[in-house]
CSV table of all heavy atoms in Angstrom, one decimal:
chain,number,residue,atom,x,y,z
A,1,ALA,N,0.9,-1.2,0.0
A,1,ALA,CA,0.0,0.0,0.0
A,1,ALA,C,0.9,1.2,0.1
A,1,ALA,O,0.6,2.2,-0.7
A,1,ALA,CB,-0.9,0.0,1.2
A,2,GLU,N,1.9,1.2,0.8
A,2,GLU,CA,2.9,2.4,0.9
A,2,GLU,C,3.5,2.6,-0.5
A,2,GLU,O,3.6,3.8,-0.9
A,2,GLU,CB,3.9,2.2,2.0
A,2,GLU,CG,3.3,2.2,3.4
A,2,GLU,CD,4.4,1.7,4.4
A,2,GLU,OE1,5.4,1.0,4.0
A,2,GLU,OE2,4.3,2.1,5.6
A,3,ARG,N,3.9,1.5,-1.1
A,3,ARG,CA,4.5,1.6,-2.5
A,3,ARG,C,3.5,2.2,-3.5
A,3,ARG,O,4.0,3.1,-4.3
A,3,ARG,CB,5.0,0.3,-2.9
A,3,ARG,CG,6.3,-0.3,-2.2
A,3,ARG,CD,6.7,-1.6,-2.7
A,3,ARG,NE,7.6,-1.5,-3.8
A,3,ARG,CZ,8.2,-2.5,-4.4
A,3,ARG,NH1,8.0,-3.7,-4.0
A,3,ARG,NH2,9.0,-2.3,-5.5
A,4,ILE,N,2.4,1.7,-3.6
A,4,ILE,CA,1.4,2.2,-4.5
A,4,ILE,C,1.0,3.7,-4.2
A,4,ILE,O,0.9,4.5,-5.1
A,4,ILE,CB,0.1,1.3,-4.4
A,4,ILE,CG1,0.4,0.0,-4.9
A,4,ILE,CG2,-1.0,2.0,-5.3
A,4,ILE,CD1,0.7,-0.2,-6.3
A,5,ASN,N,0.9,4.1,-2.9
A,5,ASN,CA,0.6,5.5,-2.5
A,5,ASN,C,1.7,6.4,-3.1
A,5,ASN,O,1.4,7.5,-3.5
A,5,ASN,CB,0.6,5.6,-1.0
A,5,ASN,CG,-0.6,4.9,-0.3
A,5,ASN,OD1,-1.6,4.5,-1.1
A,5,ASN,ND2,-0.5,4.6,0.9
A,6,ASP,N,2.9,5.9,-3.1
A,6,ASP,CA,4.1,6.7,-3.6
A,6,ASP,C,4.1,6.8,-5.1
A,6,ASP,O,4.5,7.8,-5.7
A,6,ASP,CB,5.5,6.2,-3.1
A,6,ASP,CG,5.7,6.4,-1.6
A,6,ASP,OD1,5.0,7.2,-1.0
A,6,ASP,OD2,6.5,5.7,-1.0
A,7,LEU,N,3.7,5.8,-5.8
A,7,LEU,CA,3.7,5.8,-7.2
A,7,LEU,C,2.5,6.3,-8.0
A,7,LEU,O,2.7,6.7,-9.1
A,7,LEU,CB,3.9,4.2,-7.7
A,7,LEU,CG,5.2,3.6,-7.2
A,7,LEU,CD1,5.1,2.0,-7.3
A,7,LEU,CD2,6.4,4.1,-8.0
A,8,ALA,N,1.4,6.3,-7.3
A,8,ALA,CA,0.1,6.6,-8.0
A,8,ALA,C,0.1,8.1,-8.2
A,8,ALA,O,0.3,8.9,-7.3
A,8,ALA,CB,-1.1,6.0,-7.2
A,9,PRO,N,-0.5,8.5,-9.4
A,9,PRO,CA,-0.7,10.0,-9.6
A,9,PRO,C,-2.0,10.5,-8.9
A,9,PRO,O,-3.0,10.9,-9.6
A,9,PRO,CB,-0.8,10.0,-11.1
A,9,PRO,CG,-1.4,8.7,-11.5
A,9,PRO,CD,-0.9,7.6,-10.5
A,10,ILE,N,-1.9,10.6,-7.6
A,10,ILE,CA,-2.9,11.1,-6.7
A,10,ILE,C,-2.4,12.4,-6.1
A,10,ILE,O,-1.3,12.5,-5.7
A,10,ILE,CB,-3.4,10.1,-5.7
A,10,ILE,CG1,-3.9,8.8,-6.3
A,10,ILE,CG2,-4.4,10.7,-4.7
A,10,ILE,CD1,-5.1,8.9,-7.0
A,11,ASP,N,-3.3,13.5,-6.0
A,11,ASP,CA,-2.9,14.7,-5.4
A,11,ASP,C,-3.0,14.7,-3.9
A,11,ASP,O,-4.0,14.2,-3.3
A,11,ASP,CB,-3.9,15.8,-5.9
A,11,ASP,CG,-3.3,17.1,-6.0
A,11,ASP,OD1,-2.0,17.2,-6.0
A,11,ASP,OD2,-4.0,18.1,-6.3
A,12,GLY,N,-1.8,14.9,-3.3
A,12,GLY,CA,-1.8,15.0,-1.8
A,12,GLY,C,-1.6,13.5,-1.2
A,12,GLY,O,-1.3,12.6,-1.9
A,13,PRO,N,-1.8,13.5,0.1
A,13,PRO,CA,-1.6,12.1,0.8
A,13,PRO,C,-2.6,11.1,0.2
A,13,PRO,O,-3.8,11.4,-0.1
A,13,PRO,CB,-2.0,12.4,2.2
A,13,PRO,CG,-1.8,13.9,2.4
A,13,PRO,CD,-2.1,14.5,1.0
A,14,ALA,N,-2.1,9.9,-0.1
A,14,ALA,CA,-3.0,8.8,-0.6
A,14,ALA,C,-3.0,7.6,0.3
A,14,ALA,O,-2.2,7.4,1.3
A,14,ALA,CB,-2.4,8.3,-1.9
A,15,LYS,N,-4.1,6.8,0.2
A,15,LYS,CA,-4.2,5.5,0.8
A,15,LYS,C,-4.7,4.5,-0.2
A,15,LYS,O,-5.3,4.8,-1.2
A,15,LYS,CB,-5.2,5.7,2.0
A,15,LYS,CG,-4.8,6.4,3.2
A,15,LYS,CD,-5.7,6.3,4.4
A,15,LYS,CE,-5.1,7.0,5.6
A,15,LYS,NZ,-5.8,6.8,6.9
A,16,THR,N,-4.3,3.3,0.0
A,16,THR,CA,-4.6,2.1,-0.9
A,16,THR,C,-5.2,1.0,-0.1
A,16,THR,O,-4.8,0.7,1.0
A,16,THR,CB,-3.3,1.6,-1.6
A,16,THR,OG1,-2.8,2.7,-2.4
A,16,THR,CG2,-3.7,0.4,-2.4
A,17,THR,N,-6.2,0.3,-0.6
A,17,THR,CA,-6.6,-1.0,-0.2
A,17,THR,C,-6.8,-2.0,-1.3
A,17,THR,O,-7.0,-1.6,-2.4
A,17,THR,CB,-8.2,-0.7,0.6
A,17,THR,OG1,-8.6,-2.0,1.1
A,17,THR,CG2,-9.1,-0.3,-0.5
A,18,PHE,N,-6.7,-3.3,-0.9
A,18,PHE,CA,-6.6,-4.3,-1.9
A,18,PHE,C,-7.8,-5.3,-1.9
A,18,PHE,O,-8.3,-5.5,-0.9
A,18,PHE,CB,-5.3,-5.1,-1.7
A,18,PHE,CG,-4.0,-4.3,-1.9
A,18,PHE,CD1,-3.3,-3.9,-0.8
A,18,PHE,CD2,-3.7,-3.8,-3.1
A,18,PHE,CE1,-2.2,-3.1,-0.9
A,18,PHE,CE2,-2.6,-3.1,-3.4
A,18,PHE,CZ,-1.8,-2.7,-2.2
A,19,PHE,N,-8.1,-5.8,-3.1
A,19,PHE,CA,-9.2,-6.7,-3.2
A,19,PHE,C,-8.7,-7.9,-4.1
A,19,PHE,O,-7.5,-8.1,-4.1
A,19,PHE,CB,-10.4,-6.0,-3.9
A,19,PHE,CG,-10.8,-4.9,-3.0
A,19,PHE,CD1,-10.5,-3.6,-3.4
A,19,PHE,CD2,-11.6,-5.1,-1.9
A,19,PHE,CE1,-10.9,-2.5,-2.5
A,19,PHE,CE2,-12.0,-4.0,-1.0
A,19,PHE,CZ,-11.6,-2.8,-1.4
A,20,THR,N,-9.6,-8.6,-4.8
A,20,THR,CA,-9.1,-9.7,-5.5
A,20,THR,C,-9.3,-9.6,-7.1
A,20,THR,O,-8.4,-10.0,-7.8
A,20,THR,CB,-9.8,-11.0,-5.0
A,20,THR,OG1,-9.8,-11.1,-3.6
A,20,THR,CG2,-9.3,-12.3,-5.6
A,21,THR,N,-10.4,-9.1,-7.5
A,21,THR,CA,-10.6,-9.0,-8.9
A,21,THR,C,-10.8,-7.5,-9.3
A,21,THR,O,-11.1,-6.6,-8.5
A,21,THR,CB,-11.9,-9.8,-9.4
A,21,THR,OG1,-13.1,-9.0,-8.8
A,21,THR,CG2,-11.9,-11.2,-8.9
A,22,GLY,N,-10.7,-7.2,-10.6
A,22,GLY,CA,-10.9,-5.9,-11.1
A,22,GLY,C,-12.3,-5.4,-10.9
A,22,GLY,O,-12.4,-4.2,-10.5
A,23,ALA,N,-13.3,-6.2,-11.1
A,23,ALA,CA,-14.7,-5.7,-10.9
A,23,ALA,C,-14.9,-5.4,-9.4
A,23,ALA,O,-15.5,-4.4,-9.0
A,23,ALA,CB,-15.6,-6.9,-11.3
A,24,GLU,N,-14.3,-6.1,-8.5
A,24,GLU,CA,-14.3,-5.9,-7.1
A,24,GLU,C,-13.7,-4.5,-6.7
A,24,GLU,O,-14.2,-3.8,-5.9
A,24,GLU,CB,-13.6,-7.0,-6.3
A,24,GLU,CG,-14.2,-7.3,-5.0
A,24,GLU,CD,-13.4,-8.5,-4.3
A,24,GLU,OE1,-12.6,-9.1,-4.9
A,24,GLU,OE2,-13.5,-8.5,-3.0
A,25,ALA,N,-12.6,-4.2,-7.4
A,25,ALA,CA,-12.1,-3.0,-7.2
A,25,ALA,C,-12.9,-1.8,-7.6
A,25,ALA,O,-13.1,-0.7,-6.9
A,25,ALA,CB,-10.7,-2.9,-8.0
A,26,VAL,N,-13.6,-1.9,-8.8
A,26,VAL,CA,-14.4,-0.9,-9.2
A,26,VAL,C,-15.7,-0.8,-8.4
A,26,VAL,O,-16.2,0.3,-8.0
A,26,VAL,CB,-14.9,-1.2,-10.7
A,26,VAL,CG1,-16.0,-0.1,-11.2
A,26,VAL,CG2,-13.7,-1.1,-11.6
A,27,GLU,N,-16.2,-2.0,-8.0
A,27,GLU,CA,-17.3,-1.9,-7.0
A,27,GLU,C,-17.0,-1.1,-5.8
A,27,GLU,O,-17.8,-0.2,-5.3
A,27,GLU,CB,-17.7,-3.3,-6.6
A,27,GLU,CG,-18.4,-4.2,-7.6
A,27,GLU,CD,-19.8,-4.3,-7.5
A,27,GLU,OE1,-20.4,-3.7,-6.6
A,27,GLU,OE2,-20.5,-4.8,-8.4
A,28,ASN,N,-15.8,-1.3,-5.2
A,28,ASN,CA,-15.4,-0.6,-3.9
A,28,ASN,C,-15.2,0.8,-4.2
A,28,ASN,O,-15.3,1.6,-3.3
A,28,ASN,CB,-14.2,-1.4,-3.4
A,28,ASN,CG,-14.8,-2.6,-2.6
A,28,ASN,OD1,-15.2,-2.5,-1.5
A,28,ASN,ND2,-14.7,-3.7,-3.2
A,29,ALA,N,-14.6,1.1,-5.4
A,29,ALA,CA,-14.5,2.6,-5.8
A,29,ALA,C,-15.8,3.3,-5.7
A,29,ALA,O,-15.9,4.4,-5.2
A,29,ALA,CB,-13.8,2.7,-7.1
A,30,VAL,N,-16.8,2.7,-6.3
A,30,VAL,CA,-18.2,3.2,-6.2
A,30,VAL,C,-18.6,3.3,-4.8
A,30,VAL,O,-19.2,4.4,-4.4
A,30,VAL,CB,-19.2,2.4,-7.0
A,30,VAL,CG1,-20.6,2.8,-6.8
A,30,VAL,CG2,-18.9,2.4,-8.5
A,31,LYS,N,-18.4,2.4,-3.9
A,31,LYS,CA,-18.8,2.4,-2.5
A,31,LYS,C,-18.1,3.6,-1.8
A,31,LYS,O,-18.8,4.4,-1.1
A,31,LYS,CB,-18.5,1.2,-1.8
A,31,LYS,CG,-19.4,0.0,-2.1
A,31,LYS,CD,-18.8,-1.4,-1.7
A,31,LYS,CE,-18.5,-1.6,-0.3
A,31,LYS,NZ,-18.1,-3.0,0.1
């Protein structure tokens, strides 16, 4: 999560959470 936070093009402090499938990631982005 720390590595992705540093690498991702997000403005300001970032946080990351992990799931299993792409669809699951999109579902959770909507949530």
Side-chain angles (χ1 to χ4, degrees):
E2 289 169 340
R3 293 181 77 177
I4 296 292
N5 293 341
D6 289 342
L7 293 166
I10 298 293
D11 213 8
K15 288 190 174 184
T16 297
T17 183
F18 297 108
F19 303 99
T20 308
T21 69
E24 212 180 342
V26 177
E27 289 264 354
N28 280 278
V30 169
K31 284 163 63 175

